[in-house]
Amino acid sequence: MSPNRFDVVVIGGGHAGIEAALAAARMGCRTALLTLNVDAVGQMSCNPAIGGVGKGQIAREIDALGGAMGLITDASAIQYRLLNRGKGPAMHGPRAQCDKKLYQITAKETVERQERLTLRQESIEAVRVEQGKVVGVLCRGGVVYEARAVVLTTGTFLQALMHTGELKTAGGRAGDPAAQGLSSSLRALGIELRRFKTGTPPRLNGRTINFRRLEEQPGDDDPTFFSSLTTALNGPQMVCHLTATNEQVHDLIRANLHRAPMYCGQIDSRGPRYCPSIEDKVVRFGDRSSHQIFLEPEGRRTLEYYCNGISTSLPRDVQEAIIPLIPGLEHAEIMRFGYAVEYDYAPPTQLRASLEVKEWPGLFLAGQINGTTGYEEAAAQGLVAGINAALSVQNREPFILDRSQAYIGVLIDDLVTKGVDEPYRMFTSRAEFRLALRYDNADLRLTELGRRLGLVDELRWRTFQERVERMERLGERLRTFKVDGETLERRLRRPTTTWEELRALDPELPAEASDPSSVRHWLAELKYDGYLVRQRDQVEKFRRWEDKPIPEDLDYDALTQLRHEAREKFAATRPVTFGQAGRISGVAPADLAVLLVYLKKGGLPRRARRSEPESLPQG
């Protein structure tokens, strides 16, 4: 067999590429992971943290399916915090600050150790196609990799341009080059590309920070791990610190807006709404006298600190003037300056729910190339794309999670159905069934699916079964043990009853610290039982609509009773179910009623498949 012939080739070694390559290899496919720099596999380009509200649920779901992110996070975590503890369980979000270098090293080693997976340093110039399907990629120097499926996880590197004030440099990350040739190849395939931008803040030398002036942000005493296989901390937790900007900082920023790429016309692409630059915050929230800054250590063996909250593309001299005006940073030294990155992405309505490009069988896209932002969103897409690339090679049905099963299902459905007009970030508010999609039950929802796919190994499966048995024993105890004729389960349903009050009545109950996953599960299930019952009813109704199929090659132009706008929307998105059609932005209930009539009548008009372009890169 040719050394460059594989079942699946994955392009890009970021969080999406890692999960895609590992999934395909673990499912039995001979897989290659090709990346511009093998030393940057798993690099945390921005904030060295995993999780948060919505994002933490995704990271736990990746672990539940047999992905790698949870284990890599726990191996490199330096601080854990469960966010939104004061709110209901659906809003809780585990977060871990990581040792940036250790995360990267652990991720690279995980890839290197995986059987059937080859890691190589290559620069990709083009996707190769023959007879209407993808057959491999062409690398710089004329090297060809043959593959039955290709997964593109290019991150922020497609035609990437970095901005620091007036200075513009080609590159997708400081110190790394841009991917220059691939965009033209994708356009030749008829794939639409647009531009987004993202940014990063300056990093400081901790030796020069006056921590005595800052508020400490310690980790939790009862850390919430990201993998079900993790049983203990990898070392003592480190402390983060909190400071804030002030009016002096804001005045200086306002005085230099004419030098900010976002405001002088140098950048006209959209950035993430929910992670704005400090100059954007000052303009948009002019009534605010300060904005929080979290100073987060980048690792145990470095003094470098990440300034979470002041992402910027202002010139270096302005950044140097801003930092000393912030309390605690009067003498702080900048080690790396903040900058913005512009890059190409492919509007994700061009994809099926499997993340396969509709017009090109065998080509899958995952991560920031689909218009998302964040490590967790990227890794989730990579996992699904890698699974489906393997399934396509094995001639098996695609793996698709719906919105009632996982945040991952919500994420992908939002992308392929609604598209994006700004970098997409996950929030709990995006999930209609969020009360049932908690971080504490991710394994109960998804581990059996991961086992069927071949991603959940014996150790993880045994650990899961033991967890289910412990949880069921605890549930049985709550249902049967009575105090004054009342079961513990009934008492726990009261909003004010705590677990410690219950243990005072029944000392045989485990302390929350000794079995947190089981205890938190039953606290959520019993205290919100009424809401969960209603939500399960909603899920059943949702699935009755969701599962009604629509032919993917339906000719919407022939459905003359549909409004013109609805025909355009349906034709662009090409929904595969009636439920997906109903979530397309701009589609009215009357449009759905017309579509349903046509679906019931049958004999639907079909469109002809688009012919292959003549000028395609063949290598």
Side-chain angles (χ1 to χ4, degrees):
M1 180 181 289
S2 167
N4 287 357
R5 181 177 297 166
F6 293 88
D7 296 316
V8 177
V9 167
V10 178
I11 310 302
H15 303 274
I18 289 168
E19 297 292 353
L22 290 172
R26 289 170 177 172
M27 291 174 65
C29 293
R30 189 163 182 262
T31 305
L33 175 57
L34 310 180
T35 186
L36 288 168
N37 181 2
V38 294
D39 288 328
V41 169
Q43 185 162 325
M44 305 181 96
S45 304
C46 199
N47 189 2
I50 297 294
V53 180
K55 291 172 173 283
Q57 283 88 331
I58 289 177
R60 290 287 290 257
E61 289 176 354
I62 291 168
D63 182 73
L65 284 167
M69 176 171 269
L71 283 168
I72 298 170
T73 298
D74 289 338
S76 58
I78 57 178
Q79 188 194 80
Y80 290 94
R81 296 191 73 182
L82 184 63
L83 307 185
N84 280 347
R85 279 182 181 266
K87 298 182 179 180
M91 299 296 292
H92 294 174
R95 183 181 188 273
Q97 191 73 20
C98 295
D99 184 312
K100 178 179 180 177
K101 186 58 66 176
L102 182 55
Y103 187 103
Q104 187 270 317
I105 291 170
T106 306
K108 181 170 181 277
E109 183 183 14
T110 301
V111 169
E112 292 168 339
R113 289 184 178 278
Q114 180 61 49
E115 294 182 6
R116 293 183 294 275
L117 177 54
T118 298
L119 173 64
R120 286 189 186 159
Q121 187 162 294
E122 298 279 13
S123 178
I124 310 304
E125 297 287 347
V127 175
R128 300 181 71 245
V129 298
E130 291 178 3
Q131 298 178 347
K133 64 180 181 180
V134 170
V135 296
V137 296
L138 170 68
C139 302
R140 185 176 298 166
V143 177
V144 171
Y145 282 80
E146 299 177 42
R148 297 168 63 189
V150 172
V151 184
L152 297 183
T153 68
T154 51
T156 61
F157 284 81
L158 283 183
Q159 294 289 109
L161 188 63
M162 297 183 293
H163 300 258
T164 303
E166 301 87 350
L167 178 66
K168 294 186 285 187
T169 309
R173 177 172 55 215
D176 288 313
Q180 298 290 4
L182 192 51
S183 288
S184 59
S185 167
L186 296 177
R187 286 193 174 96
L189 294 175
I191 296 173
E192 180 189 1
L193 298 180
R194 298 178 189 170
R195 300 283 277 179
F196 270 162
K197 81 102 184 174
T198 189
T200 193
R203 275 71 155 181
L204 308 179
N205 188 330
R207 175 178 55 81
T208 62
I209 296 173
N210 183 0
F211 291 105
R212 288 173 295 182
R213 293 202 63 190
L214 307 180
E215 178 185 337
E216 287 193 351
Q217 295 279 308
D220 292 339
D221 294 331
D222 55 340
T224 301
F225 299 125
F226 277 84
S227 176
S228 62
L229 299 180
T230 304
T231 57
L233 291 166
N234 65 53
Q237 296 193 67
M238 298 182 70
V239 176
C240 297
H241 292 82
L242 181 64
T243 185
T245 62
N246 51 51
E247 286 291 3
Q248 283 182 286
V249 171
H250 298 179
D251 289 342
L252 182 57
I253 291 172
R254 291 187 190 101
N256 285 277
L257 283 177
H258 64 287
R259 300 180 65 196
M262 284 289 291
Y263 289 91
C264 70
Q266 188 171 307
I267 296 177
D268 59 7
S269 51
R270 291 288 298 273
R273 178 198 306 253
Y274 301 102
C275 188
S277 64
I278 185 59
E279 51 266 39
D280 208 18
K281 289 180 185 178
V282 168
V283 171
R284 287 168 52 190
F285 308 107
D287 58 330
R288 293 277 300 273
S289 61
S290 67
H291 295 281
Q292 286 186 327
I293 302 171
F294 291 89
L295 297 176
E296 300 169 333
E298 296 222 329
R300 298 190 191 278
R301 301 295 300 275
T302 180
L303 297 182
E304 192 168 358
Y305 272 74
Y306 180 92
C307 300
N308 190 346
I310 52 171
S311 173
T312 185
S313 59
L314 285 163
R316 290 167 58 118
D317 61 293
V318 178
Q319 295 184 42
E320 287 177 322
I322 287 172
I323 292 299
L325 299 177
I326 298 170
L329 307 184
E330 294 84 357
H331 304 289
E333 295 177 358
I334 297 176
M335 296 178 69
R336 306 176 203 240
F337 289 89
Y339 59 91
V341 184
E342 279 189 294
Y343 57 94
D344 286 348
Y345 79 97
T349 51
Q350 299 172 95
L351 306 177
R352 296 184 173 90
S354 62
L355 298 181
E356 186 177 36
V357 177
K358 293 173 181 175
E359 300 293 343
W360 293 106
L363 180 60
F364 297 80
L365 309 185
Q368 284 179 283
I369 192 173
N370 290 339
T372 61
T373 180
Y375 306 141
E376 304 82 1
E377 291 91 340
Q381 293 173 72
L383 180 62
V384 171
I387 290 170
N388 283 314
L391 292 173
S392 72
V393 167
Q394 297 163 355
N395 296 315
R396 296 161 63 189
E397 289 296 311
F399 172 72
I400 296 171
L401 291 167
D402 69 38
R403 301 179 71 90
S404 68
Q405 290 177 292
Y407 271 88
I408 297 174
V410 174
L411 163 68
I412 294 175
D413 184 66
D414 278 352
L415 293 176
V416 303
T417 303
K418 302 176 182 178
V420 293
D421 56 10
E422 62 186 40
Y424 180 102
R425 177 179 177 179
M426 178 53 71
F427 294 100
T428 53
S429 58
R430 296 188 189 273
E432 307 92 315
F433 310 116
R434 55 187 170 272
L435 194 54
L437 305 182
R438 307 184 306 273
Y439 82 88
D440 65 90
N441 67 5
D443 56 344
L444 302 178
R445 292 183 276 118
L446 300 173
T447 296
E448 287 192 35
L449 295 177
R451 179 69 170 179
R452 282 183 229 151
L453 289 165
L455 294 176
V456 171
D457 61 17
E458 289 300 326
L459 175 59
R460 186 182 293 276
W461 183 243
R462 187 168 62 251
T463 301
F464 169 69
Q465 290 179 310
E466 290 170 354
R467 133 100 154 137
V468 171
E469 289 172 5
R470 289 197 312 274
M471 188 187 69
E472 289 178 346
R473 285 198 301 270
L474 180 56
E476 181 66 18
R477 182 73 177 178
L478 294 172
R479 286 189 294 271
T480 57
F481 191 87
K482 294 182 178 180
V483 176
D484 297 329
E486 185 179 44
T487 65
L488 297 178
E489 177 185 275
R490 186 173 180 82
R491 282 179 178 259
L492 192 56
R493 291 177 189 273
R494 299 173 187 169
T496 57
T497 302
T498 66
W499 189 257
E500 287 308 310
E501 289 173 347
L502 224 58
R503 290 192 71 229
L505 299 172
D506 180 10
E508 290 192 24
L509 291 178
E512 183 172 349
S514 66
D515 190 3
S517 64
S518 298
V519 172
R520 291 172 186 175
H521 172 81
W522 286 115
L523 281 169
E525 289 289 317
L526 295 177
K527 287 190 177 297
Y528 294 88
D529 180 61
Y531 298 103
L532 286 166
V533 168
R534 285 202 294 273
Q535 198 156 95
R536 290 184 189 109
D537 290 340
Q538 291 171 346
V539 167
E540 289 305 311
K541 292 176 183 177
F542 162 80
R543 284 187 171 151
R544 285 199 294 272
W545 287 91
E546 181 66 24
D547 293 340
K548 190 169 188 62
I550 299 176
E552 196 172 348
D553 57 354
L554 174 60
D555 184 359
Y556 290 99
D557 288 334
L559 307 186
T560 55
Q561 289 179 287
L562 280 174
R563 290 183 308 126
H564 177 71
E565 181 186 1
R567 290 201 299 271
E568 286 187 338
K569 295 274 188 179
F570 288 142
T573 304
R574 310 218 66 82
V576 295
T577 66
F578 189 74
Q580 185 185 5
R583 293 189 293 277
I584 298 174
S585 177
V587 170
D591 302 321
L592 295 173
V594 171
L595 179 60
L596 187 58
V597 169
Y598 276 106
L599 292 175
K600 287 179 177 178
K601 285 168 57 178
L604 297 167
R606 307 298 178 95
R607 65 170 188 150
R609 195 188 189 288
R610 190 183 68 180
S611 61
E612 184 173 313
E614 293 181 2
S615 56
L616 289 175
Q618 300 295 326

